[in-house]
Amino acid sequence: MEKKVFYVTTPIYYVNDVPHIGHAYTTVAADVIARFKRLKGEKVFFLTGTDEHGQKIERTARASGEEPIELANRVVVRFKELWKKLNISNDDFIRTTEERHIKSVTELFRRVFEKGDIYLGEYEDWYCVFDETFWTETQLGGSRLCPDCGRPVERLKEESYFFRLSKYEKPLLEFYEDNPDFIQPPFRRNEVISFVRGGLRDLSISRTTFSWGIPVPNNPRHVIYVWFDALTNYITAPGFPDDMERFSEIWPADIHLVGKDILRFHAIYWPAFLMSAGLPLPKKVFAHGWWTVEGEKMSKSKGNVVDPNDIVDEFGADVLRYFLLREVPFGLDGDFSRTALIGRVNGELANGLGNLVSRSLGMIERYMRGRVPEPTLSVGGYEQRVREKAMETARQVEEAMEEVAFHRALNAIWDFIGFMNKYVDESAPWSLEKSGNRERLGLVLWTLVESIRILALLLYPFIPSSSREIWRRIGSPEPLESQLFSYAKEWGLTRPGWQVEKGRALFPRYER
Ligand code: ME8
């Protein structure tokens, strides 16, 4: 069987945490890609889920007098509900405690073992329980604090299985060389390459000091390292190892979306495990930046963790989706603040998009009894420019989306919205109405609906419910879901006679 399906993933989220906007960010971005690809007519498999094993989760659960699985069962609901609330269109949700996953990890471990890439040894180093990461003396630079999270590290010595990561140093460097787009953005690729060039140590991939995990085949005193376990989720869900036919239609992943903090695991360990097991490697790993809140790192102790549920309750899912992808170039760090969010809602969603839709459809209600008019005049010079601008925008959006540059896609769309609002001002339909120029009035109003039709398609991956509402209001008889992205690259599909509805404001304005 050959690969047929576009496969996009988010990381699987640790269940010892409640979801915040940083988590929502990765999932929203993946959802936008999935929706865009479906709109292009591609088959898509979009995966997210939860990472439920490991010492950290065992400790958190015990501290609250729970079994780890009870904690997981309780928290997984918060993730699932949040994704529903944010309109996330994932095709599967994987939990690492599921039977299918345990089977898959066991099989991957067995294959790598048979390849001769796993041996039993002894591990001693500094360990951060919170990040589940070992640190060398050099990496700690004399301190006893985790370089990632700042928490104290512990000295840990244990019998452990090792993965021969050192053996894959050269093959990985060759792979990065041959696949220059594998790690995105490019500055992250350079970081990974220099890390690998600095030398790779064999990786400890089992633990004996706790038990909440998947046992090592034939040596259940050991549980498999949580990252070996977690990364494997990406092959479990498409069907490894039981349904290899389905697996080969979906795997390899077209894009793993991850935060910059976990790029190393995805761009170094993961391809090395797969190489060892003789499985195809993912095509791309895209690392996005980090969100702070009002300039500060989000943390429970600071009490500044932003709950995406609160934002959705107050502003709606589309506003949060829009803000996260508009505010920062994808790949760079960003800062969340209420003022910035309200600024974008008022300026861009309400005054820009909302206003264009509402004034255009309002005029059709007033001047045309709500029916899209026939564009009787042959296309004028200004309308020709609108058409060119629309077509150029659709091309720009497509290109930006293929490059995972959401901010560029949105910039192009809002540039077009600005252009259209100016078109309304300059063609002044109210004066055409007054002077009785019905022919030109019809052409202008039809041109507005046609542009809004294209906007609804271009915006759909980003703000699906608002786009569906805009689509309903322009009165197209076809459901938005039956449309293709290519219809946004075609001018002239709006039909005279559609019954429009101005309706209430799409995006209310907020006080700062
Ligand atoms: O890392 N800004 O899970 P996780 C932006 N279980 N992104 C953020 C963020 C922030 N402030 N905080 C978290 C794990 N994220 C592992 C993954 S995958 C095989 C195993 C992002 O719940 C983070 O970068 O700690 C990551 O992409 C995702 O949330 C999950 O984080």
Side-chain angles (χ1 to χ4, degrees), residues 10-14 17 20 22-23 25-26 51 79 227 230-231 233-234 257-262 266 288-292 298:
T10 73
I12 47 173
Y13 298 91
Y14 285 128
D17 227 343
H20 58 61
H23 303 130
Y25 188 45
T26 325
D51 189 354
F79 280 94
W227 273 100
L231 288 161
N233 90 86
Y234 302 129
L257 272 187
V258 299
K260 63 179 182 181
D261 56 320
I262 56 174
H266 285 81
H288 65 64
W290 204 246
W291 283 92
T292 49
M298 249 185 294

mmCIF file of all heavy atoms in Angstrom, residues 10-14 17 20 22-23 25-26 51 79 227 230-231 233-234 257-262 266 288-292 298, ligand 1:
data_model
loop_
_atom_site.group_PDB
_atom_site.id
_atom_site.type_symbol
_atom_site.label_atom_id
_atom_site.label_comp_id
_atom_site.label_asym_id
_atom_site.label_seq_id
_atom_site.Cartn_x
_atom_site.Cartn_y
_atom_site.Cartn_z
ATOM 1 N N THR A 10 -0.133 16.798 16.892
ATOM 2 C CA THR A 10 0.321 17.674 17.980
ATOM 3 C C THR A 10 1.134 16.769 18.909
ATOM 4 O O THR A 10 1.061 15.544 18.775
ATOM 5 C CB THR A 10 -0.853 18.228 18.807
ATOM 6 O OG1 THR A 10 -1.376 17.170 19.624
ATOM 7 C CG2 THR A 10 -1.952 18.778 17.929
ATOM 8 N N PRO A 11 1.852 17.338 19.867
ATOM 9 C CA PRO A 11 2.434 16.454 20.881
ATOM 10 C C PRO A 11 1.279 15.869 21.689
ATOM 11 O O PRO A 11 0.155 16.363 21.623
ATOM 12 C CB PRO A 11 3.259 17.398 21.762
ATOM 13 C CG PRO A 11 3.305 18.693 21.037
ATOM 14 C CD PRO A 11 2.122 18.748 20.143
ATOM 15 N N ILE A 12 1.564 14.816 22.454
ATOM 16 C CA ILE A 12 0.533 14.360 23.381
ATOM 17 C C ILE A 12 0.828 15.043 24.712
ATOM 18 O O ILE A 12 1.967 15.139 25.135
ATOM 19 C CB ILE A 12 0.493 12.822 23.481
ATOM 20 C CG1 ILE A 12 1.893 12.242 23.670
ATOM 21 C CG2 ILE A 12 -0.168 12.245 22.238
ATOM 22 C CD1 ILE A 12 1.879 10.755 23.940
ATOM 23 N N TYR A 13 -0.229 15.556 25.331
ATOM 24 C CA TYR A 13 -0.059 16.433 26.489
ATOM 25 C C TYR A 13 0.051 15.658 27.783
ATOM 26 O O TYR A 13 -0.646 14.668 27.983
ATOM 27 C CB TYR A 13 -1.237 17.414 26.547
ATOM 28 C CG TYR A 13 -1.268 18.287 25.306
ATOM 29 C CD1 TYR A 13 -1.989 17.904 24.180
ATOM 30 C CD2 TYR A 13 -0.522 19.454 25.248
ATOM 31 C CE1 TYR A 13 -1.979 18.678 23.030
ATOM 32 C CE2 TYR A 13 -0.504 20.236 24.103
ATOM 33 C CZ TYR A 13 -1.233 19.839 23.000
ATOM 34 O OH TYR A 13 -1.211 20.597 21.865
ATOM 35 N N TYR A 14 0.921 16.129 28.672
ATOM 36 C CA TYR A 14 1.053 15.492 29.981
ATOM 37 C C TYR A 14 -0.240 15.658 30.750
ATOM 38 O O TYR A 14 -0.760 16.772 30.874
ATOM 39 C CB TYR A 14 2.162 16.172 30.795
ATOM 40 C CG TYR A 14 3.554 15.814 30.361
ATOM 41 C CD1 TYR A 14 4.480 16.808 30.085
ATOM 42 C CD2 TYR A 14 3.965 14.487 30.267
ATOM 43 C CE1 TYR A 14 5.779 16.494 29.713
ATOM 44 C CE2 TYR A 14 5.251 14.168 29.890
ATOM 45 C CZ TYR A 14 6.154 15.168 29.615
ATOM 46 O OH TYR A 14 7.422 14.860 29.247
ATOM 47 N N ASP A 17 -0.993 18.094 34.165
ATOM 48 C CA ASP A 17 -1.184 19.530 34.053
ATOM 49 C C ASP A 17 -2.579 19.811 33.508
ATOM 50 O O ASP A 17 -3.107 18.999 32.765
ATOM 51 C CB ASP A 17 -0.169 20.056 33.023
ATOM 52 C CG ASP A 17 0.547 21.279 33.536
ATOM 53 O OD1 ASP A 17 0.047 21.893 34.498
ATOM 54 O OD2 ASP A 17 1.593 21.625 32.967
ATOM 55 N N HIS A 20 -3.378 24.939 29.238
ATOM 56 C CA HIS A 20 -3.341 26.409 29.197
ATOM 57 C C HIS A 20 -3.159 26.880 27.752
ATOM 58 O O HIS A 20 -3.136 26.054 26.837
ATOM 59 C CB HIS A 20 -2.258 26.957 30.131
ATOM 60 C CG HIS A 20 -0.863 26.458 29.841
ATOM 61 N ND1 HIS A 20 -0.225 26.679 28.647
ATOM 62 C CD2 HIS A 20 0.002 25.758 30.602
ATOM 63 C CE1 HIS A 20 0.979 26.162 28.681
ATOM 64 N NE2 HIS A 20 1.147 25.568 29.855
ATOM 65 N N GLY A 22 -0.681 27.815 26.077
ATOM 66 C CA GLY A 22 0.470 27.231 25.378
ATOM 67 C C GLY A 22 0.092 25.904 24.731
ATOM 68 O O GLY A 22 0.468 25.615 23.598
ATOM 69 N N HIS A 23 -0.682 25.091 25.458
ATOM 70 C CA HIS A 23 -1.145 23.813 24.901
ATOM 71 C C HIS A 23 -2.127 24.055 23.756
ATOM 72 O O HIS A 23 -2.068 23.416 22.721
ATOM 73 C CB HIS A 23 -1.849 22.974 25.976
ATOM 74 C CG HIS A 23 -0.997 22.700 27.170
ATOM 75 N ND1 HIS A 23 -1.431 22.926 28.456
ATOM 76 C CD2 HIS A 23 0.275 22.253 27.283
ATOM 77 C CE1 HIS A 23 -0.469 22.614 29.300
ATOM 78 N NE2 HIS A 23 0.573 22.207 28.622
ATOM 79 N N TYR A 25 -2.263 26.415 21.804
ATOM 80 C CA TYR A 25 -1.553 26.946 20.639
ATOM 81 C C TYR A 25 -1.169 25.836 19.658
ATOM 82 O O TYR A 25 -1.493 25.904 18.470
ATOM 83 C CB TYR A 25 -0.294 27.649 21.139
ATOM 84 C CG TYR A 25 0.490 28.427 20.098
ATOM 85 C CD1 TYR A 25 -0.149 29.259 19.192
ATOM 86 C CD2 TYR A 25 1.884 28.346 20.061
ATOM 87 C CE1 TYR A 25 0.589 29.999 18.274
ATOM 88 C CE2 TYR A 25 2.621 29.082 19.158
ATOM 89 C CZ TYR A 25 1.977 29.910 18.263
ATOM 90 O OH TYR A 25 2.712 30.644 17.360
ATOM 91 N N THR A 26 -0.488 24.796 20.174
ATOM 92 C CA THR A 26 -0.048 23.714 19.283
ATOM 93 C C THR A 26 -1.253 23.054 18.616
ATOM 94 O O THR A 26 -1.233 22.746 17.430
ATOM 95 C CB THR A 26 0.744 22.636 20.058
ATOM 96 O OG1 THR A 26 1.515 23.254 21.083
ATOM 97 C CG2 THR A 26 1.666 21.867 19.140
ATOM 98 N N ASP A 51 -0.267 12.081 27.242
ATOM 99 C CA ASP A 51 0.948 11.385 27.656
ATOM 100 C C ASP A 51 0.753 11.068 29.140
ATOM 101 O O ASP A 51 0.739 11.983 29.963
ATOM 102 C CB ASP A 51 2.107 12.372 27.434
ATOM 103 C CG ASP A 51 3.468 11.751 27.616
ATOM 104 O OD1 ASP A 51 3.542 10.585 28.028
ATOM 105 O OD2 ASP A 51 4.461 12.465 27.355
ATOM 106 N N PHE A 79 -8.892 17.945 28.688
ATOM 107 C CA PHE A 79 -8.323 18.148 27.359
ATOM 108 C C PHE A 79 -9.395 17.925 26.298
ATOM 109 O O PHE A 79 -9.595 18.769 25.429
ATOM 110 C CB PHE A 79 -7.133 17.205 27.130
ATOM 111 C CG PHE A 79 -5.862 17.707 27.771
ATOM 112 C CD1 PHE A 79 -5.486 17.286 29.039
ATOM 113 C CD2 PHE A 79 -5.051 18.621 27.105
ATOM 114 C CE1 PHE A 79 -4.319 17.754 29.628
ATOM 115 C CE2 PHE A 79 -3.882 19.099 27.688
ATOM 116 C CZ PHE A 79 -3.511 18.664 28.953
ATOM 117 N N TRP A 227 9.786 9.069 27.199
ATOM 118 C CA TRP A 227 9.861 9.655 25.853
ATOM 119 C C TRP A 227 9.838 8.596 24.756
ATOM 120 O O TRP A 227 9.277 8.821 23.683
ATOM 121 C CB TRP A 227 11.080 10.575 25.704
ATOM 122 C CG TRP A 227 10.756 11.966 26.162
ATOM 123 C CD1 TRP A 227 11.068 12.533 27.362
ATOM 124 C CD2 TRP A 227 10.013 12.952 25.444
ATOM 125 N NE1 TRP A 227 10.570 13.808 27.433
ATOM 126 C CE2 TRP A 227 9.931 14.093 26.269
ATOM 127 C CE3 TRP A 227 9.406 12.991 24.178
ATOM 128 C CZ2 TRP A 227 9.270 15.255 25.872
ATOM 129 C CZ3 TRP A 227 8.754 14.153 23.786
ATOM 130 C CH2 TRP A 227 8.684 15.256 24.628
ATOM 131 N N ALA A 230 6.178 7.842 24.729
ATOM 132 C CA ALA A 230 5.312 8.913 24.202
ATOM 133 C C ALA A 230 5.473 9.100 22.698
ATOM 134 O O ALA A 230 4.492 9.202 21.961
ATOM 135 C CB ALA A 230 5.611 10.217 24.931
ATOM 136 N N LEU A 231 6.714 9.151 22.224
ATOM 137 C CA LEU A 231 6.938 9.405 20.794
ATOM 138 C C LEU A 231 6.270 8.339 19.927
ATOM 139 O O LEU A 231 5.786 8.622 18.826
ATOM 140 C CB LEU A 231 8.444 9.473 20.500
ATOM 141 C CG LEU A 231 9.138 10.736 21.025
ATOM 142 C CD1 LEU A 231 10.656 10.532 21.129
ATOM 143 C CD2 LEU A 231 8.829 11.943 20.129
ATOM 144 N N ASN A 233 3.499 7.128 20.123
ATOM 145 C CA ASN A 233 2.062 7.356 19.864
ATOM 146 C C ASN A 233 1.789 7.675 18.404
ATOM 147 O O ASN A 233 0.735 7.328 17.867
ATOM 148 C CB ASN A 233 1.525 8.480 20.766
ATOM 149 C CG ASN A 233 1.642 9.866 20.135
ATOM 150 O OD1 ASN A 233 0.771 10.307 19.390
ATOM 151 N ND2 ASN A 233 2.748 10.557 20.388
ATOM 152 N N TYR A 234 2.767 8.340 17.770
ATOM 153 C CA TYR A 234 2.554 8.768 16.383
ATOM 154 C C TYR A 234 2.428 7.593 15.417
ATOM 155 O O TYR A 234 1.848 7.745 14.347
ATOM 156 C CB TYR A 234 3.712 9.668 15.933
ATOM 157 C CG TYR A 234 3.912 10.906 16.776
ATOM 158 C CD1 TYR A 234 5.174 11.221 17.298
ATOM 159 C CD2 TYR A 234 2.860 11.779 17.038
ATOM 160 C CE1 TYR A 234 5.378 12.364 18.058
ATOM 161 C CE2 TYR A 234 3.058 12.916 17.807
ATOM 162 C CZ TYR A 234 4.318 13.205 18.308
ATOM 163 O OH TYR A 234 4.512 14.332 19.053
ATOM 164 N N LEU A 257 3.870 18.906 14.685
ATOM 165 C CA LEU A 257 3.956 20.258 15.247
ATOM 166 C C LEU A 257 4.329 20.138 16.707
ATOM 167 O O LEU A 257 3.665 19.412 17.459
ATOM 168 C CB LEU A 257 2.590 20.926 15.184
ATOM 169 C CG LEU A 257 2.224 21.683 13.945
ATOM 170 C CD1 LEU A 257 0.909 22.404 14.197
ATOM 171 C CD2 LEU A 257 3.284 22.688 13.548
ATOM 172 N N VAL A 258 5.353 20.849 17.128
ATOM 173 C CA VAL A 258 5.789 20.778 18.528
ATOM 174 C C VAL A 258 6.257 22.154 18.995
ATOM 175 O O VAL A 258 6.558 23.016 18.176
ATOM 176 C CB VAL A 258 6.970 19.786 18.709
ATOM 177 C CG1 VAL A 258 6.569 18.382 18.300
ATOM 178 C CG2 VAL A 258 8.205 20.243 17.933
ATOM 179 N N GLY A 259 6.335 22.325 20.316
ATOM 180 C CA GLY A 259 6.943 23.539 20.845
ATOM 181 C C GLY A 259 8.454 23.395 20.813
ATOM 182 O O GLY A 259 8.975 22.284 20.773
ATOM 183 N N LYS A 260 9.143 24.521 20.859
ATOM 184 C CA LYS A 260 10.600 24.485 20.729
ATOM 185 C C LYS A 260 11.268 23.676 21.853
ATOM 186 O O LYS A 260 12.349 23.138 21.670
ATOM 187 C CB LYS A 260 11.160 25.906 20.704
ATOM 188 C CG LYS A 260 10.907 26.697 21.988
ATOM 189 C CD LYS A 260 11.510 28.092 21.903
ATOM 190 C CE LYS A 260 11.280 28.827 23.214
ATOM 191 N NZ LYS A 260 11.819 30.198 23.207
ATOM 192 N N ASP A 261 10.608 23.597 23.015
ATOM 193 C CA ASP A 261 11.187 22.870 24.156
ATOM 194 C C ASP A 261 11.311 21.373 23.922
ATOM 195 O O ASP A 261 12.083 20.707 24.587
ATOM 196 C CB ASP A 261 10.320 23.110 25.409
ATOM 197 C CG ASP A 261 8.857 22.713 25.189
ATOM 198 O OD1 ASP A 261 8.321 22.971 24.091
ATOM 199 O OD2 ASP A 261 8.254 22.133 26.107
ATOM 200 N N ILE A 262 10.524 20.835 22.987
ATOM 201 C CA ILE A 262 10.587 19.386 22.791
ATOM 202 C C ILE A 262 11.050 19.026 21.384
ATOM 203 O O ILE A 262 10.860 17.907 20.912
ATOM 204 C CB ILE A 262 9.228 18.702 23.127
ATOM 205 C CG1 ILE A 262 8.092 19.300 22.298
ATOM 206 C CG2 ILE A 262 8.916 18.833 24.607
ATOM 207 C CD1 ILE A 262 6.768 18.547 22.501
ATOM 208 N N HIS A 266 11.953 15.207 19.164
ATOM 209 C CA HIS A 266 11.314 14.874 17.888
ATOM 210 C C HIS A 266 12.274 14.857 16.711
ATOM 211 O O HIS A 266 12.048 14.157 15.737
ATOM 212 C CB HIS A 266 10.189 15.880 17.598
ATOM 213 C CG HIS A 266 8.978 15.640 18.431
ATOM 214 N ND1 HIS A 266 8.876 16.072 19.732
ATOM 215 C CD2 HIS A 266 7.816 14.976 18.173
ATOM 216 C CE1 HIS A 266 7.707 15.704 20.230
ATOM 217 N NE2 HIS A 266 7.042 15.038 19.303
ATOM 218 N N HIS A 288 7.335 25.510 17.121
ATOM 219 C CA HIS A 288 6.827 26.873 17.327
ATOM 220 C C HIS A 288 7.443 27.471 18.584
ATOM 221 O O HIS A 288 8.108 26.789 19.359
ATOM 222 C CB HIS A 288 5.302 26.889 17.383
ATOM 223 C CG HIS A 288 4.708 26.155 18.555
ATOM 224 N ND1 HIS A 288 4.913 26.548 19.862
ATOM 225 C CD2 HIS A 288 3.926 25.055 18.611
ATOM 226 C CE1 HIS A 288 4.265 25.724 20.657
ATOM 227 N NE2 HIS A 288 3.665 24.802 19.934
ATOM 228 N N GLY A 289 7.193 28.758 18.774
ATOM 229 C CA GLY A 289 7.792 29.478 19.893
ATOM 230 C C GLY A 289 6.990 29.341 21.173
ATOM 231 O O GLY A 289 6.042 28.553 21.265
ATOM 232 N N TRP A 290 7.362 30.136 22.124
ATOM 233 C CA TRP A 290 6.881 30.002 23.486
ATOM 234 C C TRP A 290 6.042 31.209 23.854
ATOM 235 O O TRP A 290 6.410 32.337 23.557
ATOM 236 C CB TRP A 290 8.117 29.919 24.395
ATOM 237 C CG TRP A 290 7.847 29.226 25.679
ATOM 238 C CD1 TRP A 290 7.882 29.792 26.912
ATOM 239 C CD2 TRP A 290 7.520 27.853 25.864
ATOM 240 N NE1 TRP A 290 7.568 28.838 27.854
ATOM 241 C CE2 TRP A 290 7.346 27.648 27.238
ATOM 242 C CE3 TRP A 290 7.337 26.771 24.991
ATOM 243 C CZ2 TRP A 290 7.002 26.417 27.771
ATOM 244 C CZ3 TRP A 290 6.995 25.547 25.523
ATOM 245 C CH2 TRP A 290 6.830 25.384 26.898
ATOM 246 N N TRP A 291 4.917 30.989 24.524
ATOM 247 C CA TRP A 291 4.067 32.111 24.957
ATOM 248 C C TRP A 291 4.399 32.519 26.389
ATOM 249 O O TRP A 291 4.469 31.680 27.278
ATOM 250 C CB TRP A 291 2.584 31.723 24.915
ATOM 251 C CG TRP A 291 2.047 31.735 23.530
ATOM 252 C CD1 TRP A 291 1.993 30.677 22.674
ATOM 253 C CD2 TRP A 291 1.498 32.851 22.834
ATOM 254 N NE1 TRP A 291 1.449 31.069 21.481
ATOM 255 C CE2 TRP A 291 1.134 32.396 21.545
ATOM 256 C CE3 TRP A 291 1.282 34.202 23.154
ATOM 257 C CZ2 TRP A 291 0.561 33.234 20.590
ATOM 258 C CZ3 TRP A 291 0.708 35.033 22.210
ATOM 259 C CH2 TRP A 291 0.352 34.552 20.945
ATOM 260 N N THR A 292 4.540 33.812 26.578
ATOM 261 C CA THR A 292 4.588 34.363 27.922
ATOM 262 C C THR A 292 3.266 35.102 28.136
ATOM 263 O O THR A 292 2.497 35.284 27.185
ATOM 264 C CB THR A 292 5.745 35.369 28.066
ATOM 265 O OG1 THR A 292 5.671 36.285 26.965
ATOM 266 C CG2 THR A 292 7.090 34.655 28.047
ATOM 267 N N MET A 298 4.616 31.750 32.127
ATOM 268 C CA MET A 298 3.409 31.266 32.797
ATOM 269 C C MET A 298 3.794 30.262 33.868
ATOM 270 O O MET A 298 4.560 29.346 33.594
ATOM 271 C CB MET A 298 2.531 30.526 31.780
ATOM 272 C CG MET A 298 1.262 31.222 31.437
ATOM 273 S SD MET A 298 0.264 30.190 30.350
ATOM 274 C CE MET A 298 1.247 30.111 28.878
HETATM 275 O O1 ME8 B 1 5.939 18.127 26.317
HETATM 276 N N1 ME8 B 1 3.964 28.335 24.982
HETATM 277 O O2 ME8 B 1 3.777 17.736 26.932
HETATM 278 P P1 ME8 B 1 3.378 19.159 27.513
HETATM 279 C C1 ME8 B 1 3.877 27.597 23.874
HETATM 280 N N2 ME8 B 1 4.142 15.145 26.917
HETATM 281 N N3 ME8 B 1 3.740 26.269 23.865
HETATM 282 C C2 ME8 B 1 3.686 25.646 25.041
HETATM 283 C C3 ME8 B 1 3.755 26.340 26.264
HETATM 284 C C4 ME8 B 1 3.896 27.761 26.199
HETATM 285 N N4 ME8 B 1 3.980 28.515 27.279
HETATM 286 N N5 ME8 B 1 3.664 25.442 27.266
HETATM 287 C C5 ME8 B 1 3.539 24.219 26.671
HETATM 288 C C6 ME8 B 1 5.020 17.375 26.537
HETATM 289 N N6 ME8 B 1 3.554 24.354 25.349
HETATM 290 C C7 ME8 B 1 5.153 15.885 26.242
HETATM 291 C C8 ME8 B 1 5.101 15.697 24.744
HETATM 292 S S1 ME8 B 1 5.086 14.240 22.536
HETATM 293 C C9 ME8 B 1 5.559 12.716 22.067
HETATM 294 C C10 ME8 B 1 5.258 14.292 24.263
HETATM 295 C C11 ME8 B 1 3.482 23.271 24.350
HETATM 296 O O3 ME8 B 1 1.971 18.962 27.957
HETATM 297 C C12 ME8 B 1 4.781 22.503 24.327
HETATM 298 O O4 ME8 B 1 5.774 23.142 23.599
HETATM 299 O O5 ME8 B 1 4.356 19.644 28.496
HETATM 300 C C13 ME8 B 1 4.353 21.247 23.648
HETATM 301 O O6 ME8 B 1 4.385 21.385 22.254
HETATM 302 C C14 ME8 B 1 2.916 21.064 24.142
HETATM 303 O O7 ME8 B 1 2.526 22.314 24.695
HETATM 304 C C15 ME8 B 1 2.776 19.931 25.114
HETATM 305 O O8 ME8 B 1 3.441 20.165 26.299
#
